[in-house]
Structure formats: structure tokens, C-alpha cells
């Protein structure tokens, strides 16, 4: 590990935030250049290289843009900043862990992992409820409690007390967090919905649907001992009876001032709403409740919120799936002592832009710098290409649509097989093992493969087979299901109705239940496959799971398909289904196609394995009967890079030393150290070479259990030595 310090640097070919720099922009003009200088490499790493999910969110800052269409009265969403729209009409919605949708999905991942149950047994609705107005308001209430606690401590301390400044810093942070909720109207809608319910259905608390107007009272005992509830006299019986005090008065003023400072065109209603939300006190309830207007507003808010949330989910789902993919990539590296920590370099540009003839030279110049030098810190070993088109035909065309059915829509943002081929053809000399997965949806899930098999995926990969680059292409199936399509519905709330007597209640009619559907959330298998492969490259990762590990070697020779390796090096993802039938498994085993995940029931030494495991880890290089395991390509790549380093770029005399029988030669050391699970050479493996003096070529032969892989390297001759024509 002293020479090659990492074997898991990964390149992600995906656009995350078009407003941030991408790798092509950073590389710049490469005419007349063969490689990039150190300063340029440092700049690229600073902007695009991440070593954790948190760092990814911080550096790339994924965002969705919202704006209003005055003609339609609708909210619009875009992943690209809209042009020709004034900046003050555009709201940036950061997709970080504070975003309710992303936060809900991350919580769902963690909840599934904690329970370890299949999709059919998991109660998705409990977690989906997190993005309902009611749950969002609960989060706000927690923020409110923390602000009130901090402010109380702040005002009680003397101005000269140093601790007051500490509380002031904390208050600034808390107000900043709160301001994200009232900085734009859309974020205020859940608050407005719950605020209206609080004022109109005071005392309802979902236990009773409507009825008499609530009147506050006090429990007392009459002269004869009889229990009585006496009505409290109020100036306005629709006001909340809460005692005000100096502290809360100060908070009210602080929120009013903060709201006005952050909004160029402040709204009295929204300002009061902010104050009511964060300071629910009697003094904030200054006006009489117009029940009819409030009911009308509530129903309008609810409908607008549902429509906006629906449109938001549709717009943001492709990006959300990429973000979750990055999280899943890093989640695979679960170790106590971090060693060779996986790092991800985000290209931040679409694949179709990357493979244009005018742009490819920039990428190749970058790879010349990372992969063609005897400095291995920046060497790229893996790549991820998600969302490759599948183009499944949906049967014959209907003459007449009789019932509402699925409308097959072209999914935007997918990568074509042609572009993937162009990429692989270009980067093949750099020996980058590239994991790709098909576009997300119901047709690429565990459920689909369990019933339909892998035939469609194998057929789709035919253009990538029998090519020079085939050994570096790894199709990954099936995609991960975060929320199944049929379990992605959630009830936002119910519409409100008012009877002739002015009593307000939540409607019990089915058509008045406001429900939205996320239409399923999925993540490409390439993220998980690259993540788990990058994880087992680290000796510390392997050491925590196996006994016979050498810290001298990376995990390039680790064969996940051998023995119980897959069970001990399981993924972080929870099993989704009860498993594949024997017929499906037989079809997968027949040729060993692809990087296939398994959701089968399994045990190891009496312990149940509740996580998804790797069933096959193969590329598209075939020996005629079956596809090759990815470890063979990784070992050959590792040997090639070690040979290049120790031979001074393939000098003949040094190559002879590398392969000599001297006990200190690199080959001898590998030969003598075969007992570890990550040894470069293991039982049945052989390493040999021949030199073609005429043409100045060294043929390196690496044999794995009777199958031989050849590696040709061009010798570097000393001056005066002849090379054949």
C-alpha cells in the first residue's frame, strides 16, 4: 500500500447543479497540452471531489428553482435557473437535509435499515407522513421551543456577561433556520394550513369532527359539592387565551423585524402568520376570526399546496434520485477505523455533453494526468453512469383507450447506449471499471426481475459486448426501490366545511381528502455496486469482516462470489423481496451476467442476513461460456500500474528484475504471500511474462484458475537498442 495508496477513486458522470462549475469548465482549453498542472488538479479536487455525503451537499449545493406563473396562477419548478425571469421572482429551494422531501427519504432509508423488513411488510405511510403540513408544523414547534428557551436565557443575562454572546450566536443560528421557513410563501403554506385549523377547530384535535364552537372554561365545585364547568368570559371568544410576558413580547418584535428585513414586499398576513407560528400568544391574536374567509383560505391553501407539491416532486425526482444515489455510494463504507476512504469526483455535467467530439479531449487530458502517471493519489479506478435508457416496448398500440391507464412517458435525463459506448471507447486505455445502471422505474426493480428475469437487460447490453472495452463495462441490476409506486401515497389533510349555523369541521367526504402520490422513488444500482466495490478495496473494511487480511494489499483480488464473502460484505441496503426463484437464479448463473444484487433469505453461522448482498460481480467480457468477474480486470490493472512504477515506465532491465526469482522481487513477494483473502496472487493463480525482442513488447500473463488474461506493454528501450518494424 506504500506505492499505490488507493484503488477506489470514482468518477460520477452526472449533472447535479448546473450553476456550479463542471469538470469541463475547470479543465479549460487543452490544445497543445498532454496533461494538467498541479494547480489545476488541486482546483478540480477542491470543487468537485467529495469524501462524504455531507461534503457532497456542501460543495455541489443541489437546488431546485421555483417561480410563479401569473397567467395560470401556478407554481413552476426547474432544475435549471430560469432565464428571462427577474431574480426577485425566483426562489431557490436547497435540496439538503433540511428539505422536507429529502429528509423524509433519508429517514425512510434509515428506518428500513433499522427494521430490516421487506417492502411488503414496511409501513411506508408512517414515514411519508413527514411531508404533510401537520408533521412540518411539528418540526416548527420544536424549533419554536428551542428559540424560546435560548431567548429566555439570553435576556436574563447581563449585557457584560460573556455567556450572553454565546447565546446570541445560538439565537442567530436558530433565527437563520427559522427564516428558511418564512422567507417564501410556499414554505409558509403548511404553517398557514395548520394555523387555520388551530384557530377554527380549537379543541377539535381530530377527535371530533366539527360541532359546536369551542368555549374555554374552568372546572369548579358548587356550594352543594356539584362539579361545574364555568365559561370564561373573553373579549373575543375566538382568541387564544394565553398569558403574555416580557420575554415573549421581545420575541414577537424580533420576528416581526426579521421578517420585514428579509422581504422586499412584506405581507401583513404572512408577518402575522410568522409571529403566530413562532410565538403563539394572546397578544398575537389581535383580530377577530372571519370564519367564512378562513375556511375559504384554508381550502385554497390546501389545494394549492397539493398541486405545488405534486409539481415539485415531478420536477425534482430525477435529481433527488441522484442525491440518494450518492448517499448510498458512501453508505457502503461502514468501518470503525477509516483507511482507504472512497472518494467521489462529480463531473457535474451531462454525459451527452461530455462525449461531444469537442469536449472529449478535455476529459482525456484529465485522465492522462490521473491515470498515465506514476503518481497514484488521483488515479481513477471506477466510474458511475446512471440512468441508461431501456426503451422497453409496451405491447401493441390501442385503437381506443377505454379506461384510465398508465401513460408511458419518455423519461428526461436518461443516457443513451450510444453515448455510453462513446465514453467507454474513449476511456478504455485508462482501465476504468465503469458501473452503469438502467433508468429507474418499475421495470428495473427486484420485483420485475423476480417475475420477468434478466433477459431484457442482457439483450440491451449486446452492443457493448465483444469490444475492446467490454471488460471495463459493468451492467448493474436491479435498481433499489426506496418507495414502491403503489405505496407512495400520503394524505395531506381534509378540506374544511362550514354549515348554515357557522360551525366548522373537517369534511368526511372521500372526495375532500387531499392525497398526493410520489409515483415511486428509485435509485440506480450503479451507485450501490460502485460503493460496495470501492468499500471492499479498503483493507480496514475487509479486516472488520474477515480474519485473514493483509494490510499491504488493497481489495483488488477480493472475490465477492467466493465462499461466504458476499454474506460478510453485505450492502447497507435492506432486503426488498423474499428472493428470486430457482429458475431466475439458474438463468443468472448460466452465464454469470452483470453485477447482480440478491434479496434472498440467508444466514451465516446462525445469524440472519437482513441486507441485500452481491450475487454476481461480472463485466461484459466473455470467454465464450460465461462473463468474467470484475476482480480479474482489477488485478490486471493493479499489476500493470505496479509494473509501470517499479520498471520506470516499462524499462526492459527493470521488468526482468520485477519478475525475477530473487526473493525480494515483486513477483516473488506476491508468490510467497498467498494466504490472505486480499492477496494479489492466490491458490491457482499464476503470473508470468514473455518478451518479444523483435517488436519490443512484454506480454504479461495473469492466470486465474486456468483462465489467462493477457496484458501487453510497450518496452522502453535504452539508446542504441533496436525495435523491430
Amino acid at each position: 500500500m506504500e506505492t499505490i495508496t488507493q484503488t477506489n477513486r470514482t468518477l460520477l458522470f452526472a449533472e447535479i447543479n448546473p450553476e456550479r462549475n463542471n469538470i469541463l469548465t475547470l479543465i479549460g482549453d487543452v490544445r497543445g497540452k498532454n496533461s494538467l498542472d498541479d494547480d489545476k488538479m488541486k482546483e478540480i479536487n477542491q470543487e468537485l471531489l467529495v469524501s462524504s455525503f455531507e461534503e457532497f451537499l456542501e460543495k455541489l449545493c443541489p437546488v431546485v428553482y421555483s417561480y410563479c406563473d401569473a397567467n395560470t396562477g401556478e407554481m413552476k419548478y426547474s432544475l435549471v435557473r430560469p432565464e428571462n425571469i427577474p431574480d426577485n421572482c425566483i426562489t431557490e429551494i436547497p435540496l439538503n437535509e433540511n428539505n422536507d422531501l429529502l429528509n423524509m427519504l433519508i429517514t425512510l432509508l434509515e428506518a428500513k435499515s433499522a427494521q430490516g423488513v421487506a417492502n411488503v411488510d414496511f409501513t411506508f405511510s408512517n414515514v411519508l407522513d413527514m411531508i404533510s403540513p401537520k408533521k412540518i408544523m411539528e418540526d416548527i414547534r420544536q424549533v419554536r421551543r428551542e428559540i424560546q428557551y435560548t431567548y429566555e436565557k439570553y435576556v436574563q443575562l447581563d449585557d457584560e456577561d460573556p455567556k450572553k454572546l454565546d447565546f446570541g450566536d445560538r439565537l442567530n443560528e436558530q433565527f437563520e433556520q427559522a427564516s428558511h421557513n418564512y422567507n417564501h410563501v410556499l414554505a409558509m403554506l403548511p404553517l398557514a394550513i395548520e394555523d387555520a385549523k388551530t384557530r377554527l377547530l380549537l379543541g377539535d384535535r381530530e377527535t371530533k369532527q366539527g360541532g359546536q364552537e369551542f368555549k374555554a372554561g374552568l372546572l369548579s365545585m358548587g356550594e352543594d359539592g356539584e362539579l361545574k364547568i364555568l365559561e370564561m368570559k373573553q373579549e373575543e371568544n375566538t382568541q387564544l387565551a394565553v398569558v403574555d410576558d416580557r420575554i415573549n413580547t421581545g420575541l414577537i418584535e424580533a420576528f416581526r423585524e426579521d421578517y420585514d428585513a428579509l422581504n422586499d414586499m412584506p405581507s401583513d398576513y404572512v408577518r402575522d402568520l410568522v409571529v403566530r407560528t413562532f410565538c403563539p400568544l394572546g397578544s398575537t391574536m389581535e383580530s377577530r376570526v372571519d370564519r367564512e374567509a378562513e375556511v375559504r383560505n384554508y381550502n385554497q391553501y390546501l389545494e394549492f399546496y397539493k398541486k405545488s407539491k405534486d409539481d415539485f416532486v415531478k420536477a425534482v425526482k430525477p435529481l433527488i434520485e441522484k442525491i440518494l444515489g450518492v448517499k448510498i455510494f458512501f453508505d457502503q463504507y461502514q468501518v470503525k477505523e477509516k483507511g482507504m476512504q472512497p472518494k467521489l469526483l462529480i463531473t457535474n455535467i451531462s454525459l451527452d455533453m461530455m462525449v461531444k467530439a469537442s469536449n472529449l479531449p478535455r476529459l482525456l487530458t484529465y485522465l492522462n494526468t490521473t491515470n498515465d502517471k506514476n503518481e497514484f493519489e488521483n488515479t481513477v479506478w471506477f466510474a458511475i453512469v446512471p440512468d441508461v435508457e431501456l426503451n422497453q416496448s409496451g405491447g401493441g398500440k390501442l385503437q381506443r383507450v377505454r379506461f384510465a391507464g398508465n401513460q408511458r412517458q419518455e423519461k428526461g435525463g436518461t443516457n443513451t447506449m450510444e453515448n455510453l459506448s462513446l465514453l467507454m471507447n474513449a476511456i478504455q486505455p485508462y482501465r476504468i471499471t465503469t458501473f452503469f445502471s438502467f433508468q429507474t422505474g418499475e421495470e428495473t426493480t427486484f420485483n420485475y426481475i423476480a417475475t420477468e428475469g434478466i433477459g431484457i437487460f442482457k439483450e440491451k447490453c449486446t452492443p457493448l459486448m465483444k469490444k475492446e472495452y467490454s471488460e471495463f463495462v459493468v451492467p448493474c441490476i436491479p435498481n433499489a426501490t426506496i418507495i414502491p409506486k403503489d405505496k407512495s401515497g400520503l394524505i395531506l389533510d381534509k378540506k374544511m366545511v362550514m354549515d348554515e349555523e357557522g360551525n366548522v369541521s373537517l369534511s368526511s367526504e372521500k372526495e375532500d381528502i387531499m392525497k398526493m402520490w410520489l409515483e415511486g422513488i428509485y435509485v440506480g444500482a450503479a451507485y450501490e455496486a460502485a460503493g460496495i466495490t470501492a468499500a471492499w478495496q479498503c483493507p480496514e473494511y475487509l479486516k472488520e469482516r474477515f480474519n485473514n487480511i493483509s494490510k499491504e494489499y488493497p481489495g483488488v483480488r477480493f472475490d465477492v462470489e467466493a465462499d461466504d464473502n458476499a454474506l460478510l460484505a453485505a450492502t447497507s441496503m435492506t432486503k426488498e423481496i423474499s428472493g428470486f426463484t430457482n429458475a431466475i437464479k439458474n438463468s443468472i448463473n448460466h452465464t454469470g451476467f452483470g453485477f447482480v444484487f440478491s434479496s434472498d433469505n440467508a444466514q451465516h453461522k446462525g445469524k440472519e442476513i437482513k441486507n441485500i448482498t452481491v450475487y454476481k460481480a461480472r463485466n461484459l467480457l466473455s470467454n465464450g461460456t460465461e462473463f468474467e468477474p470484475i476482480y480479474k480486470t482489477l488485478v490486471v490493472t493493479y499489476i500493470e500500474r505496479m509494473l509501470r512504477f517499479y520498471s520506470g515506465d516499462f524499462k526492459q532491465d527493470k521488468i526482468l528484475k520485477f519478475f525475477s526469482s530473487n526473493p525480494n522481487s515483486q513477483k516473488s513477494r506476491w508468490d510467497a504471500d498467498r494466504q490472505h483473502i486480499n492477496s494479489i496472487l492466490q491458490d491457482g493463480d499464476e503470473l508470468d511474462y514473455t518478451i518479444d525482442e523483435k517488436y519490443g513488447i512484454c506480454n504479461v500473463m495473469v492466470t486465474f484458475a486456468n483462465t489467462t488474461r493477457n496484458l501487453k506493454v510497450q518496452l522502453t528501450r535504452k539508446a542504441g537498442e533496436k525495435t523491430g518494424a
Side-chain angles (χ1 to χ4, degrees), residues 708-720:
T708 301
R709 298 287 297 276
N710 289 321
L711 174 71
K712 288 186 178 182
V713 298
Q714 189 72 45
L715 297 173
T716 303
R717 303 279 186 122
K718 292 179 180 176

Side-chain angles (χ1 to χ4, degrees), residues 119-178:
N119 289 345
V120 70
D121 297 319
F122 186 80
T123 312
F124 287 92
S125 57
N126 289 347
V127 184
L128 280 165
D129 193 43
M130 284 177 62
I131 60 175
S132 68
K134 180 178 66 177
K135 291 293 182 181
I136 292 172
M137 195 64 191
E138 285 179 8
D139 293 338
I140 297 292
R141 286 193 185 101
Q142 180 57 32
V143 173
R144 181 173 76 200
R145 280 191 286 268
E146 292 176 10
I147 289 175
Q148 287 176 329
Y149 172 81
T150 311
Y151 189 78
E152 185 177 354
K153 295 289 186 185
Y154 178 80
V155 298
Q156 286 174 350
L157 293 169
D158 295 334
D159 291 346
E160 293 78 19
D161 195 326
K163 284 190 76 175
K164 184 161 186 166
L165 299 178
D166 295 338
F167 280 111
D169 289 340
R170 179 67 183 136
L171 267 177
N172 283 327
E173 291 171 10
Q174 289 171 331
F175 264 75
E176 185 68 25
Q177 186 186 351

Side-chain angles (χ1 to χ4, degrees), residues 424-586:
M424 294 312 305
N425 192 56
I427 68 173
Q428 179 261 330
Y430 303 99
R431 304 188 66 84
I432 298 169
T433 295
T434 302
F435 301 88
F436 80 90
S437 49
F438 294 98
Q439 64 193 68
T440 57
E442 288 289 292
E443 299 86 4
T444 52
T445 60
F446 273 99
N447 272 329
Y448 181 89
I449 291 177
T451 54
E452 303 293 331
I454 63 168
I456 179 70
F457 307 107
K458 206 170 181 178
E459 183 186 331
K460 191 65 182 174
C461 290
T462 305
L464 303 171
M465 299 176 190
K466 299 178 181 178
K467 301 286 195 301
E468 278 192 50
Y469 55 74
S470 295
E471 67 173 303
F472 301 108
V473 189
V474 184
C476 307
I477 53 175
N479 292 333
T481 300
I482 310 303
I483 306 175
K485 182 179 177 180
D486 59 344
K487 296 188 177 185
S488 65
L490 73 145
I491 294 173
L492 295 173
D493 219 317
K494 300 171 183 175
K495 282 189 176 181
M496 209 175 276
V497 291
M498 188 169 74
D499 61 22
E500 294 177 356
E501 292 163 9
N503 296 317
V504 177
S505 65
L506 294 177
S507 174
S508 55
E509 299 296 325
K510 187 178 177 181
E511 61 267 21
D512 287 338
I513 297 173
M514 303 300 282
K515 192 170 184 177
M516 64 173 288
W517 293 86
L518 301 185
E519 297 288 339
I521 303 287
Y522 311 90
V523 172
Y527 293 99
E528 193 176 354
I532 194 68
T533 309
W536 76 52
Q537 296 304 310
C538 175
E540 279 77 8
Y541 174 92
L542 295 173
K543 189 183 176 187
E544 288 185 14
R545 290 156 177 80
F546 303 92
N547 296 322
N548 55 334
I549 294 296
S550 171
K551 284 196 170 185
E552 288 187 38
Y553 310 124
V556 291
R557 180 58 178 84
F558 176 72
D559 182 6
V560 72
E561 295 180 33
D563 304 320
D564 289 333
N565 293 353
L567 302 180
L568 292 167
T571 73
S572 68
M573 304 295 286
T574 306
K575 286 191 300 186
E576 294 189 18
I577 61 172
S578 56
F580 299 140
T581 64
N582 287 331
I584 298 291
K585 283 191 277 193
N586 288 338

Side-chain angles (χ1 to χ4, degrees), residues 77 100 131 304-313 516:
Y77 300 93
D100 60 345
I131 60 175
F304 192 85
Y305 183 69
K306 179 194 174 318
K307 177 72 169 64
S308 299
K309 211 68 176 175
D310 278 337
D311 293 343
F312 175 80
V313 170
M516 64 173 288

